[in-house]
Amino acid sequence: GRTVAAAREQYHDDNGIIFPLNIAPYPFLILPIDIKAGEVMETSMNIYKELKAGGIDVLVDDRDERPGVKFKDADLIGVPYRITVGPKTLKEGVIEIKDRAKGCTEKVPPDKIIEYCKSIIKG
């Protein structure tokens, strides 16, 4: 309890807590933009399964909500990295990964996403 309270006090912004990677309950949140789009959900669930198989804790926000609601909730709960899978970016051949602490977004090809996430965990 004290560790979380101290982290919340130290690592936050106007949108909520920003958990440091080493104490985050889940380092990654997969956020499919359109849950009704087959390719988006298929890609999201493949990433989920591969990360879980690699021993990495991950959440999937598969609610049927607007993207803005999902983004806000992701920030609120403090997941360090948000993996956004959308139809537009998939057509470009990339997936977006946002580093919550730095506020920057990287675009990574879907076939490199697992390797990229593992490199983040290893530091």
Side-chain angles (χ1 to χ4, degrees):
R2 290 184 184 170
T3 302
V4 173
R8 185 174 188 278
E9 182 66 30
Q10 193 71 20
Y11 304 101
H12 70 281
D13 63 11
D14 292 340
N15 295 318
I17 188 169
I18 306 170
F19 274 111
L21 190 59
N22 59 344
I23 65 166
Y26 296 94
F28 299 100
L29 170 73
I30 301 169
L31 199 150
I33 294 294
D34 182 359
I35 65 165
K36 294 177 179 131
E39 185 181 10
V40 169
M41 284 307 293
E42 182 181 335
T43 302
S44 298
M45 295 315 293
N46 286 340
I47 294 168
Y48 173 80
K49 289 173 188 173
E50 288 187 47
L51 287 174
K52 290 296 281 184
I56 298 172
D57 290 325
V58 61
L59 291 173
V60 177
D61 187 347
D62 59 356
R63 299 176 297 158
D64 190 12
E65 291 285 350
R66 294 182 328 271
V69 171
K70 290 181 171 187
F71 293 153
K72 185 72 172 165
D73 289 348
D75 287 349
L76 183 65
I77 64 173
V79 176
Y81 292 90
R82 182 183 73 213
I83 301 169
T84 304
V85 182
K88 289 180 185 176
T89 55
L90 281 178
K91 284 180 185 173
E92 295 172 16
V94 294
I95 292 173
E96 294 181 346
I97 300 182
K98 180 181 179 186
D99 180 331
R100 173 90 164 84
K102 294 178 183 173
C104 61
T105 302
E106 295 284 330
K107 292 186 177 186
V108 180
D111 61 338
K112 303 287 185 200
I113 195 80
I114 304 304
E115 181 181 311
Y116 186 85
C117 291
K118 287 181 178 180
S119 73
I120 289 171
I121 295 292
K122 289 180 183 176

